[in-house]
Amino acid sequence: MDTVHTRTGFRKTEFANGMIKLNDRVLQMHGYAQRTSNEWPAVGMSVPPWLSDYSNQLMVASNGNLVRWMHVTPWKQDVESADRVGLIQAMPAGDSEADVDGRRWEQRVALMRDAVIYNRNNPSILFYEAGNKGISEAHMREMKAIRDQYDPYGGRAAGSREMLNSQVAEYGGEMLYINKSARLPFWAMEYSRDEGLRKYWDNYTAPYHKDGDGPLHKGQDASIYNRNQDSHAIENVQRWYDYWRERPGTGRRVSSGGVNIVFSDTNTHHRGAENYRRSGEVDAMRIPKDGFYAHQVIWDGWVDVEQPRIHIIGHWNYTPATTKAITVVSSADAVELFLNGKSLGKGEQSSRFLFSFRDVSWQAGELRAVGYAADGKKLCETVLKTAGEPVALRLSVKAAPTGWRADGADLALVEVEVIDANGQRNPVALNLVDFKLDGPAEWRGGIAQGENNFILSSSLPVEGGVNRVLLRSATQAGKVRLTATTAGLRSASLEMTTKPVRVDAGLGTQLASEQLPSYLGRGPTPATPSFKASRLAMDIAKVTAGSNADAAAKSFDDDETTAWHSSSVPGEAWIAYELARPATLTEAVFKFTGWRERSYPIRISVDGKLVYEGLTTKSLGYASLPLKAVQGSVVKVELTGIASDSDKAFTLQEVANQKNTDTGAKVVAKGALSIIEAEFYEALH
């Protein structure tokens, strides 16, 4: 008998009105753009299924809900793993970071056909990605036809990066920038490309890496690729805030989120000082960085925050002369900091989730942060404690829930820590640890900053008091003993036993993925709405302009590929919107041409009464301007001077491909006003 077991699942999806629904509940996407290889040091993709589950479930543990595999279809092991751990997938076919034609396009179509057939029973796939860059409408129709032929009832959206004005694609979104739509769901395919080693806490902790210090990359400033953990975590929060601010519930045109690039440090191309990429929220051995915990806070909810959390960025082991800024990440409305029981006051809030405390002088003991609701109710708290002097090493092991198999391929992940007398990890330890392995297992080691990245070395340092190594089983079962030693500290030993594997005529009789459990910790889809509407979008009935009036409607057509430009003649750089009804506006939201590097001096009036005057804010997409409360029906926007440009307004840049940073400023004169999208909002009462 030849038996094939197919494991599948069921869910309901909808992709419309600029939003994504899962089981009838709106979901804003937040997760990671991960290299399809999803590799580990010294073993690459040669990992057992349980280790794929461990890595992918960490994405879920950080409150990510989506993984966008980059560039090529993932292998079946990761596809099935995402099913088990409850991680939504965006599945590409293959790409060349461009639309292609001829035989190259035929190959991509064939690959998508095969990938759809191979993976259509895996319910965690919600998106079929036709390319890592926009494709033509004709090509998008071909890709949709494949979906319709081979997976007509799978509930998956067919789309691609960009596709901002496509009438065929079912989702889209750029990399790096914020897109909004009332039609297709738009989510960012990649954002927050900054890099930083887990080893570098801040400017005050050995090895005293100054934030941003590193060589140029291709002749350009690469400071954002040489961050320390403090600034890297803060950057993650600030970049997500841009998407969260435009979440469902904030109007008719919304953002469906985005994916941070990447989840784990990786041996792919790099832009910083080290010769491997360090933009992960975990390092290459999946040890969390501060950005991991920051994401747990800001991503806790389908759309709006559902469970308040709090995290203090950094550690609390310094010298007595140290005074530094402390940043707390929290979804509470206010945060108070306590040092050894004494209040240091409330933090200065920014980007909704960041609370800053300036000039905090270190004292040994306990640093506690408490989050409060607007009414003063305590919501959450967290504590950092000073660790004592290192006294010993500690080893612990992570292995498959079914045991470590002696099949010549299974791996054990061993963690080594430097601890104090109370068993607390010392977060500033950098000890070089020597390992000795005995028994039927192969040393695969780990990774650390240094010569040859310590790959396969039997000696490697802890970073921040911790590191990990991999051991590969042999085909012979037996006891394996690992010993770790370092100068001046008590050594540690760990004994493990590999389980025999039944082999019949040279073939295994059980797949390594059998009996692996599914993670059901998220529970059923909540019956309550995932967001509360925060403002009301106003309809625009009519528009007039001082110049180029025929194109004025392009400034509110829900199409980010079109724009209205005024002339540069003084007095002609204005546009006026007549609302469908009189309203007391609270906000005007614009996407201006050159949104990242250009500021426009403007004046906004409602029925002739001034409600805003000043320079527009630079952004990664949309600028939200607060308005004085004046009731009226005609909103006039006027340019009052010459726009100013600064390429360094946002340090975000794609130095490998400068075309990705183009926001159109170079084609619009500084004496002209240029609006891509305009929105006006009234407060909900």
Side-chain angles (χ1 to χ4, degrees):
M1 180 184 294
D2 180 19
T3 303
V4 176
H5 293 276
T6 299
R7 190 182 204 181
T8 189
F10 302 89
R11 73 287 180 278
K12 182 181 179 183
T13 60
E14 181 181 313
F15 309 91
N17 304 315
M19 295 182 289
I20 296 161
K21 286 185 179 180
L22 178 64
N23 302 331
D24 294 321
R25 199 172 198 245
V26 176
L27 179 68
Q28 189 178 32
M29 310 315 301
H30 37 75
Y32 304 95
Q34 182 79 335
R35 295 284 173 187
T36 299
S37 51
N38 202 15
E39 77 272 9
W40 290 69
V43 296
M45 293 177 65
S46 300
V47 297
W50 79 264
L51 197 56
S52 293
D53 285 8
Y54 174 75
S55 178
N56 296 331
Q57 190 171 332
L58 278 173
M59 296 192 209
V60 178
S62 75
N63 279 322
N65 57 33
L66 170 67
V67 59
R68 177 199 175 228
W69 303 111
M70 287 196 287
H71 302 294
V72 70
T73 307
W75 65 323
K76 195 66 171 181
Q77 180 167 302
D78 264 326
V79 170
E80 293 177 340
S81 172
D83 282 348
R84 285 191 293 271
V85 305
L87 182 63
I88 295 169
Q89 300 179 77
M91 186 202 80
D95 73 88
S96 184
E97 295 221 345
D99 199 2
V100 293
D101 53 25
R103 182 61 187 141
R104 295 171 70 195
W105 175 250
E106 292 170 0
Q107 288 175 326
R108 193 187 302 187
V109 170
L111 178 54
M112 178 61 84
R113 178 202 62 204
D114 293 352
V116 168
I117 293 171
Y118 193 39
N119 296 308
R120 61 190 172 189
N121 284 321
N122 295 95
S124 56
I125 296 174
L126 293 197
F127 303 97
Y128 289 144
E129 182 180 295
N132 192 39
K133 199 165 178 63
I135 60 174
S136 70
E137 292 286 77
H139 282 173
M140 193 69 245
R141 285 190 192 93
E142 285 189 64
M143 287 297 190
K144 277 185 66 177
I146 289 171
R147 190 273 314 272
D148 293 343
Q149 179 178 357
Y150 296 104
D151 187 25
Y153 307 114
R156 278 107 179 185
S160 176
R161 198 176 106 199
E162 300 173 345
M163 311 306 291
L164 301 183
N165 63 348
S166 174
Q167 301 302 307
V168 182
E170 295 165 332
Y171 75 94
E174 294 180 287
M175 56 183 282
L176 307 177
Y177 297 127
I178 289 83
N179 305 116
K180 296 170 66 175
S181 174
R183 191 173 58 90
L184 302 183
F186 286 157
W187 49 272
M189 305 296 167
E190 304 169 19
Y191 77 90
S192 198
R193 286 176 162 262
D194 305 47
E195 298 185 29
L197 276 176
R198 186 178 62 79
K199 177 178 181 178
Y200 299 144
W201 281 108
D202 53 36
N203 293 352
Y204 309 93
T205 306
Y208 305 107
H209 171 267
K210 184 179 178 181
D211 188 45
D213 189 22
L216 297 177
H217 178 75
K218 296 185 177 180
Q220 299 179 58
D221 177 20
S223 57
I224 63 172
Y225 301 116
N226 291 287
R227 292 189 181 276
N228 58 41
Q229 282 206 64
D230 272 18
S231 73
H232 197 186
I234 290 169
E235 176 73 12
N236 277 330
V237 176
Q238 290 173 331
R239 294 291 67 81
W240 171 248
Y241 171 71
D242 294 320
Y243 299 93
W244 180 86
R245 186 175 58 184
E246 312 297 345
R247 67 196 181 280
T250 60
R252 190 176 298 111
R253 302 184 68 248
V254 296
S255 164
S256 280
V259 286
N260 183 314
I261 180 173
V262 294
F263 177 64
S264 56
D265 292 354
T266 169
N267 292 332
T268 57
H269 65 286
H270 64 98
R271 299 173 177 85
E274 276 66 53
N275 64 348
Y276 60 98
R277 187 169 194 161
R278 305 97 67 247
S279 51
E281 277 54 63
V282 297
D283 71 8
M285 301 302 289
R286 276 54 170 184
I287 302 172
K289 304 179 189 178
D290 264 319
F292 176 93
Y293 301 108
H295 280 135
Q296 282 186 327
V297 173
I298 63 180
W299 285 350
D300 196 330
W302 283 53
V303 177
D304 290 347
V305 171
E306 294 171 10
Q307 177 181 321
R309 291 179 182 249
I310 193 166
H311 174 71
I312 303 172
I313 295 177
H315 63 88
W316 200 237
N317 271 68
Y318 293 98
T319 59
T322 303
T323 297
K324 65 166 290 189
I326 298 295
T327 302
V328 178
V329 185
S330 181
S331 48
D333 295 307
V335 171
E336 187 174 10
L337 198 62
F338 296 86
L339 179 54
N340 294 328
K342 181 181 178 181
S343 175
L344 302 182
K346 300 284 183 67
E348 180 182 345
Q349 188 178 18
S350 63
S351 298
R352 172 58 184 90
F353 302 103
L354 295 173
F355 297 86
S356 302
F357 300 83
R358 301 178 184 178
D359 301 327
V360 177
S361 297
W362 180 81
Q363 295 176 13
E366 179 181 282
L367 188 67
R368 183 165 58 100
V370 179
Y372 303 97
D375 62 4
K377 179 184 177 182
K378 180 179 172 181
L379 296 176
C380 48
E381 70 173 284
T382 188
V383 173
L384 286 180
K385 294 183 179 180
T386 304
E389 290 297 314
V391 299
L393 297 176
R394 178 170 62 201
L395 293 175
S396 57
V397 65
K398 302 177 191 298
T402 53
W404 189 12
R405 295 158 50 92
D407 60 3
D410 201 3
L411 293 165
L413 180 63
V414 180
E415 183 167 280
V416 58
E417 299 173 274
V418 172
I419 59 174
D420 66 10
N422 296 317
Q424 181 179 344
R425 181 193 299 172
N426 186 294
V428 297
L430 298 168
N431 302 60
L432 182 68
V433 179
D434 299 314
F435 293 92
K436 182 182 178 184
L437 178 64
D438 295 300
E442 178 190 25
W443 176 260
R444 302 308 294 170
I447 190 171
Q449 190 266 339
E451 186 176 358
N452 298 321
N453 304 331
F454 288 91
I455 297 297
L456 294 178
S457 173
S458 60
S459 299
L460 72 159
V462 295
E463 297 177 337
V466 61
N467 212 328
R468 290 173 177 171
V469 297
L470 287 167
L471 310 178
R472 179 179 281 158
S473 66
T475 54
Q476 174 189 355
K479 288 186 178 181
V480 176
R481 184 177 181 84
L482 182 67
T483 303
T485 59
T486 189
L489 303 182
R490 191 167 63 248
S491 62
S493 293
L494 188 67
E495 196 168 88
M496 302 156 280
T497 302
T498 57
K499 296 174 58 176
V501 173
R502 183 181 158 199
V503 177
D504 187 0
L507 298 176
T509 58
Q510 183 182 23
L511 293 174
S513 59
E514 289 182 26
Q515 301 179 358
L516 289 179
S518 291
Y519 173 71
L520 301 175
R522 279 179 162 167
T525 303
T528 56
S530 59
F531 64 84
K532 181 179 179 181
S534 58
R535 60 188 184 183
L536 184 63
M538 295 291 99
D539 290 326
I540 297 171
K542 183 180 178 182
V543 62
T544 56
S547 53
N548 198 18
D550 291 345
K554 293 181 179 180
S555 67
F556 65 100
D557 60 357
D558 194 25
D559 183 349
E560 293 184 5
T561 67
T562 65
W564 165 79
H565 314 304
S566 77
S567 74
S568 299
V569 177
E572 292 185 0
W574 63 266
I575 189 168
Y577 302 92
E578 183 177 332
L579 305 180
R581 65 168 175 83
T584 302
L585 301 180
T586 55
E587 288 177 280
V589 177
F590 297 96
K591 187 166 194 176
F592 293 104
T593 299
W595 61 87
R596 181 175 64 90
E597 65 270 37
R598 176 164 291 185
S599 290
Y600 294 86
I602 65 169
R603 178 189 302 118
I604 303 176
S605 60
V606 174
D607 286 359
K609 297 178 181 178
L610 184 67
V611 294
Y612 178 89
E613 187 166 20
L615 279 174
T616 62
T617 55
K618 302 177 181 71
S619 71
L620 296 182
Y622 286 81
S624 184
L625 308 179
L627 305 181
K628 293 179 182 178
V630 173
Q631 188 178 47
S633 57
V634 177
V635 184
K636 187 175 183 181
V637 184
E638 305 171 77
L639 189 69
T640 61
I642 301 298
S644 63
D645 287 357
S646 170
D647 288 336
K648 295 184 179 180
F650 274 84
T651 54
L652 173 96
Q653 55 184 313
E654 174 46 76
V655 296
N657 185 352
Q658 284 297 321
K659 290 184 294 184
N660 291 325
T661 66
D662 181 22
T663 60
K666 295 177 181 178
V667 300
V668 177
K670 293 183 179 181
L673 180 62
S674 184
I675 299 174
I676 297 169
E677 291 294 328
E679 304 164 15
F680 303 101
Y681 291 96
E682 186 178 53
L684 284 171
H685 300 289

